[in-house]
Every structure is written in structure tokens, then in C-alpha cells.
Amino acid sequence: MRSICIAGKNEIAIDGLQCIIDNHADLEVFFIPNKNDNGIDGWQPSFKKYALSKGVKQVSLDDVYDIENLIFLSLEYDRIIKPERFKSENIFNIHFSRLPKYKGMYTSALPLLNGEQVSGVTLHKIDSGIDTGEIIGQKEIHIDCKDTARDLYFKYLSNSKLLLKNHIEVLLSGDFLSFPQSSYGASYYSKSSIDYSRISIDFNKCAFEIANQFRAFTFREYQMPSFGAWQIIGTEILADKSTSRPGVVLSEDDAGFVVSTIDYDIRLKKDYYPALWGASESGDIATLQSALAFIDDVDSRNNKGWSALILAAYHGKTDIADILLDAGASLSVCGYNGTTPLMYAFSHYELHGDDRSFHMLISRGADVSAGDNAGKSLKDYMVERNCLDLIQYV
Ligand code: TYD
């Protein structure tokens, strides 16, 4: 029997495994999760959780080195593979760049820092170098001038799923061509190419280059770039030629700063989401109202996956939840586990005996029967936790 082992993380590893499970009952399937996969869904869904839920066997690299008929697929796997240790030659990787450019790390940030307009995802054979193996397939990705590192990362994910779908059958049959990577235009970046603990913006640059630095460091789940005491959510290059020294603040208002550069002045927009989320938790109505004036998406979730409405529901801030709903917040935007705002309002009741948010969300149309990712409804949790005081409402 032939075997396949998928090693990696996130949606791409899940998608690859799902494709194998759905279409290849003839294969023996194994998986290897990344080191930091704790089996819990975060902003990246847990590959380990998914694979175990499908009954796939977890193995280590040592377990698969000696399997002769193995196909090994690395999909955002966090370890460097040594092909000489494998008996099989069928070992492949999808790299998030348009190889031969951007081998190595931080491929969602570096093309932006360098002002690239195109990137890509590449399926290649794994050889003994870092992302240096022969190319089997590639998909180009257009980088929009407003794309952040986070946007580019999600473009990589969706495009790599397509690339894999288009090639999985030929990888399994061995019926594919591969060609060596060109040395011309190749580049490599190591872990030390960006120090995320000391991000600093170089203003002695053109406005375009400064905008690129800001968007390269914009990835809310990891960090946001900042200027003075403010996180910055975006930039706008103005038509005015800069006449002051680069980096001089020309003006500041509630919306942001205007800063001088080598060529054109640039506006740095203040990030009001932390204020929105903080006010939803603390109940500070004045701060909430001012934050609402500067944000585009009231349902945007913080790096724990909580929207402003979820925060208000969980902390029992009924007035805030009311204002958020008036501002268009959705009652069906859930946490990473599919936990609804109403479930969070119920948790608030359980913890504090205060049912006002719970009743208010129902009166505003919350779906009492909605299930979470585990397929459980609020009623199931009330029974499971033996907290039946509100069960008549669900
Ligand atoms: P990651 O999944 O660690 O992969 P890689 O370095 O191979 O790209 O990170 C995905 C992107 O997230 C990365 O390209 C840049 C961005 N990133 C940050 O913005 N801050 C960080 O601290 C890290 C580790 C990554």
C-alpha cells in the first residue's frame, strides 16, 4: 500500500489532507503537525485538531524516513527537511513566494518592503537546500498597492490551495515535469532579515517606501506598526511635495498624522480598533462613540478572535452592545470556535448572575439555536453545565 504524509499547519495543510481523505481511500495517510500546534483553533485553524478528528495517525519524521512508497508533502511545515534521510524521492513543498525569488522566511512581508507588485506560490521538489528544489508548478499573485502582510498571507493561502488541487493527482501518479530554478533573479532571506521585536520605520525614504514599510508590518495577529503612541492602520500618499526634513510631523488630528518624507507628504492613519475593543470591554461609551467614527468594520475581530459585540456581551456591557448593534454589528460573527455573541452573554450570566445582555441580544434577534464548531447549541451547554435558569428562552 502506498503512503502519504502531510506535514504542516493552517488551512493549506487541512485542505491538502481533506483532499486526500475524500479522494484516496487507497492510501495510508499520516500527518505531522508543527511544533506550536496545540490542537486548538486560533486565527489559524489547528491542523492537528482536524487530522485527529478524521482519525489520521500522527507520526514523527523518524517514523516516515524508511517508508519506500511514501509521498511526503510539506505545507507550511516548520522544520527543514533533509531529503537524504528519506528512502522515498517523492518529497515536495509548497513555498509562499514566486521562486526563485524570496526563498526562506517572511515572504508575506519582504516583497512588500521591496515594493514588489507580483508574488506567487510555488510547488517544488525538496532538495538539500532551502527552497532550492526543482519547480513543478507555480501560481502568480498580484500584489495590490494597499495589500498588507496579512492580506498577502491570506492570498498565499487561497492560491496555494488551488495550486495543490491542480497538482495533487500528478504528484500521486508521478506524472509531472519539473525544472531547475534559475539562478538569475534568485534571492534568500534568513530569520535575521527582520527583527519583529524592534520594528522601526525609516522615514528617510520616499513616501512609497514608507507606505511599504507600514503595510509590511501590518499583521494584526502578530503586530501592528506604530508611530508615537499610536498604532497605524494605513497610509495615504498625498499630492503635496515634502519641503520639511523627512520624518517631521506636519500636523496631527483625530484621524492621524501628516509626515514629511524625501518626496511626498504621507498621512498615517490612527488605528481605532484597540479603542473600540477596549471600550466594549470596559463600557466606556464616549470612547466607543469616537472610535466608531474612525473604523470601517464594526465586526472586525481582535487577535483572540473576539469582535466588539462579543466583548460587550461577555463583559455584560448591555448599553455598548446596543450601540454596536445600531452601528451594524452582526449577531452571527463568532469567536474562533464558532461561539456566538449570545453564548458569550450566557457565560456572563453564569459568572455574574446578570442576564441583561442575554435578554437584550435575544430581543435584537440573536439566533438562540445556532451551533458552534463543535456542533453544540446554547441549550446543549446549559444542560452540560447544569445551568438551566435561562433554558426556557432557548
Ligand atoms: P509564518 O507563518 O511564521 O511564516 P514565514 O516566516 O515562513 O512567512 O509567518 C507568516 C507571515 O507573518 C510572515 O511572512 C510575516 C508575518 N509575521 C509578522 O508580521 N510578525 C511576526 O512576528 C511573524 C513571525 C510573522
Side-chain angles (χ1 to χ4, degrees), residues 9 44 76 104-109 149 153 196 216-217 219 222-223:
K9 69 166 179 178
Q44 312 191 69
E76 289 301 281
M105 301 282 289
Y106 308 137
T107 62
S108 305
Y153 186 73
Y196 280 102
F217 298 125
F219 201 132
Y222 287 115
Q223 78 285 305

Side-chain angles (χ1 to χ4, degrees), residues 246-261:
V248 169
V249 178
L250 303 172
S251 64
E252 178 185 356
D253 60 16
D254 288 346
F257 305 89
V258 175
V259 180
S260 183
T261 79

Side-chain angles (χ1 to χ4, degrees), residues 119-143:
S119 188
V121 288
T122 308
L123 171 65
H124 65 93
K125 287 181 165 178
I126 297 181
D127 68 7
S128 55
I130 299 175
D131 305 320
T132 49
E134 295 199 351
I135 293 176
I136 298 164
Q138 192 164 63
K139 235 174 132 348
E140 260 191 30
I141 296 174
H142 170 73
I143 301 178

Side-chain angles (χ1 to χ4, degrees), residues 9-63:
K9 69 166 179 178
N10 210 342
E11 287 168 35
I12 174 64
I14 291 177
D15 218 57
L17 186 57
Q18 186 180 7
C19 181
I20 298 294
I21 293 170
D22 290 349
N23 303 308
H24 288 280
D26 54 317
L27 292 172
E28 187 179 21
V29 189
F30 305 116
F31 84 100
I32 307 180
N34 280 7
K35 275 194 302 291
N36 62 359
D37 187 338
N38 55 10
I40 298 170
D41 290 332
W43 68 273
Q44 312 191 69
S46 164
F47 177 48
K48 181 173 174 175
K49 177 179 164 190
Y50 174 79
L52 291 177
S53 78
K54 295 288 171 186
V56 179
K57 187 173 174 202
Q58 183 173 342
V59 292
S60 69
L61 280 175
D62 283 333
D63 297 324

